[in-house]
Amino acid sequence: MPELHDQIPTREKVLIIGAGPAGLAAAASLKALEVPFDIVDRADHVGGIWDPEREDSPIWPTMEMISSREQTQYEDLLQPVSFPEFLTPAHMAKYLRAYASRHGITDHFRPRTAVRAARPFEEGVWEVELSTGEIGIYRAVISAHGISQRPHRPDWAADVPGTVQVVHSSEWTGADGLEGRRVLVVGSGQSAADIAVDAARRALEVRWSMRTGHWVVPRRIAGIPGDVASAREPAMLGGLNARIAETVVRRTVGDPVEAGLPRPAQPLLEDRVIVSDDLLQRVREGRITPAGEVQGVDAEGVVTHARGRDAFGTDTYRADLIVLATGYETGADHLPEDLVPRTASGESDLFLGAFARGRDDLVILGQQRVSGGVLPLLVEQADIAAYMLAATRDGGTSPALEQFRRVRGGAEAAIPARPAPASGGLRGRLETAVGTRRVTPREVPSGAGAREGLVPAVDRETQLARLRSVRSLFG
């Protein structure tokens, strides 16, 4: 395999698979510790799903981001002040390319190159086959392929006849062309809500099938971005704070039940909330009709679903287009299926969502869903990965690495949710309220998604606190 931009053999390098936000974070962390690496991506440019030229991206041009600049930026490169508070996909793509340029990552980047297979022979020896037909040996792999590689489709979707168009949310490109068409959006989360709102701009009718209910919160609360306000939640108020938060949200956007949506399954501060300024109003206007879980579909394409809002019985709906916002399955096509064991609930057994237990040569980034911006988590995971891989270089070890190995083999719940200061990272990150505040640990219960092998959801602030605690082991 030809060497990329240097004379260091791949046997001494780490291979980063994917040049999206996670892959760029990993590259910057490795470079800060002078760990040699290559980074590959099937696309022409860095940016991952935010690359506007990428045809397999689940991002559409008019998509409205729900995370603010503060939660959608690397802390060693602030978003330009000329950018809006909530970035457009085009702004995010431009920002990621600037970040890659700032850290010289493009010097290590190989575009239009996918990984067909990455197989470990032994600890520290990986055989990697590229789409070019080349085969090389790397000492470690960081798989930053994201969560959109394996779209999940429910079993009943296979029974939909060809007369009805069916797409996964990853294939959604916007509402253009939906005039006069009836749309059924299936899914309970943020993507389903975003697509339902987008479709309602043009479609004749939009029906939204949900299995569970969630709170709906606005992008701004009292002039502050909602994800920032959530991150600054004063934990010492406990249950009182939960009641205050629910009251504020009801007064700001309204009660989801009163609007016609299912009752939220969790209290607000424990829920995977839906962030939207328009959703409840579209439901009140009748432009989006809530519906219950899909029960099946007949040979004519008529869908039977439970009635919405806790009503008994079923209804039918004949859609021209069905959009499956039903999530993504865990795993990666380029990794052996049995490489990462699963827990009893069906989730991949990755320590803090990224680290294969018992292995120092494999990191899988971005395999978790959170409410709000995920970038701070990716940065912390990338830092820990870089420290680990720097310590294992040339077969070396250190007290910090041995302590990390012990913690990695234990229970995540035992990790203190008292984060180290955010400025303790590899790239001199800024001190923020998010980085120093007290955190009330919250566990997101495993549900049907785990049984179906879907990418799991975690509480962002709890996970961020634990990651910073573990990162502090390395000093």
Side-chain angles (χ1 to χ4, degrees):
M1 177 183 294
E3 305 307 333
L4 300 181
H5 311 291
D6 57 43
Q7 298 304 311
I8 300 174
T10 60
R11 179 64 183 83
E12 300 175 16
K13 290 183 178 182
V14 177
L15 178 64
I16 303 173
I17 304 172
L24 296 181
S29 294
L30 291 176
K31 192 160 189 179
L33 294 180
E34 299 182 346
V35 177
F37 68 91
D38 292 330
I39 179 169
V40 299
D41 197 292
R42 69 179 70 233
D44 292 340
H45 306 285
V46 301
I49 62 173
W50 300 102
D51 179 1
E53 300 177 18
R54 188 163 184 157
E55 295 182 356
D56 61 345
S57 172
I59 306 300
W60 62 94
T62 58
M63 176 181 174
E64 294 184 349
M65 293 186 67
I66 63 170
S67 56
S68 63
R69 281 184 309 201
E70 185 168 329
Q71 299 295 332
T72 318
Q73 62 186 1
Y74 300 99
E75 290 174 302
D76 59 331
L77 180 63
L78 300 183
Q79 296 277 6
V81 294
S82 60
F83 281 13
E85 187 174 45
F86 293 90
L87 275 62
T88 66
H91 284 111
M92 190 63 182
K94 185 180 296 185
Y95 172 74
L96 292 174
R97 293 186 187 185
Y99 188 78
S101 177
R102 172 189 175 93
H103 287 283
I105 296 171
T106 50
D107 294 338
H108 304 262
F109 175 54
R110 187 168 183 178
R112 299 178 296 280
T113 305
V115 174
R116 290 177 179 168
R119 311 177 190 89
F121 282 135
E122 57 186 67
E123 182 76 21
V125 181
W126 284 78
E127 180 188 73
V128 177
E129 180 185 355
L130 301 181
S131 57
T132 59
E134 302 162 272
I135 296 178
I137 302 296
Y138 283 86
R139 78 174 184 92
V141 166
I142 296 178
S143 187
H145 59 279
I147 66 173
S148 60
Q149 189 177 87
R150 295 180 168 181
H152 173 72
R153 294 173 180 262
D155 292 340
W156 58 263
D159 299 327
V160 179
T163 54
V164 178
Q165 183 184 4
V166 181
V167 300
H168 191 269
S169 58
S170 60
E171 303 168 279
W172 179 259
T173 58
D176 291 348
L178 291 183
E179 292 81 358
R181 305 185 73 189
R182 292 179 170 83
V183 178
L184 174 65
V185 180
V186 181
S188 302
Q190 184 70 51
S191 293
D194 289 342
I195 291 173
V197 170
D198 193 35
R201 295 189 300 109
R202 299 289 183 88
L204 175 66
E205 183 180 355
V206 176
R207 196 167 293 195
W208 180 18
S209 169
M210 292 164 284
R211 182 159 56 185
T212 56
H214 295 286
W215 288 90
V216 179
V217 302
R219 292 200 293 176
R220 295 176 182 83
I221 299 176
I224 300 174
D227 55 355
V228 175
S230 173
R232 295 173 178 170
E233 172 258 314
M236 71 288 295
L237 293 178
L240 175 61
N241 185 63
R243 291 193 293 273
I244 292 173
E246 291 180 7
T247 299
V248 169
V249 167
R250 284 193 180 100
R251 290 179 177 176
T252 305
V253 295
D255 190 308
V257 177
E258 292 180 359
L261 296 180
R263 190 175 306 280
Q266 301 289 336
L268 175 62
L269 296 182
E270 299 175 20
D271 190 29
R272 287 184 286 115
V273 300
I274 292 171
V275 181
S276 177
D277 295 331
D278 304 313
L279 176 61
L280 293 186
Q281 187 59 32
R282 297 294 178 270
V283 174
R284 295 188 192 100
E285 295 169 349
R287 297 168 66 183
I288 298 174
T289 302
E293 184 176 3
V294 171
Q295 307 291 321
V297 59
D298 67 17
E300 302 298 321
V302 177
V303 174
T304 300
H305 61 78
R307 289 176 178 159
R309 195 166 171 182
D310 307 318
F312 296 102
T314 60
D315 284 327
T316 60
Y317 186 62
R318 184 185 294 275
D320 302 300
L321 170 66
I322 299 176
V323 184
L324 303 173
T326 46
Y328 299 88
E329 298 172 7
T330 58
D333 295 342
H334 52 265
L335 295 176
E337 286 293 337
D338 59 351
L339 183 62
V340 178
R342 293 187 179 272
T343 66
S345 64
E347 297 177 2
S348 297
D349 188 17
L350 293 170
F351 176 65
L352 293 176
F355 304 96
R357 297 181 190 270
R359 300 197 70 103
D360 296 334
D361 61 349
L362 174 63
V363 179
I364 304 178
L365 299 180
Q367 290 293 289
Q368 292 181 322
R369 294 178 294 120
V370 298
S371 293
V374 72
L375 196 53
L377 269 69
L378 299 177
V379 168
E380 297 298 334
Q381 290 174 338
D383 272 10
I384 296 171
Y387 280 123
M388 178 184 71
L389 292 167
T392 58
R393 184 170 40 194
D394 301 323
T397 187
S398 68
L401 178 61
E402 291 302 322
Q403 190 174 3
F404 170 71
R405 287 168 172 165
R406 288 193 294 271
V407 172
R408 184 180 61 190
E412 293 185 9
I415 300 173
R418 297 187 298 274
S423 58
L426 280 172
R427 294 175 296 286
R429 287 191 286 278
L430 304 175
E431 192 73 35
T432 67
V434 177
T436 57
R437 72 176 188 86
R438 181 182 174 187
V439 176
T440 302
R442 301 189 185 96
E443 307 300 331
V444 176
S446 297
R451 294 193 298 271
E452 296 167 350
L454 301 188
V455 175
V458 297
D459 179 76
R460 184 184 64 181
E461 299 309 313
T462 300
Q463 191 76 331
L464 186 59
R466 288 174 176 161
L467 284 164
R468 285 179 173 158
S469 292
V470 171
R471 187 248 291 157
S472 68
L473 298 176
F474 293 96

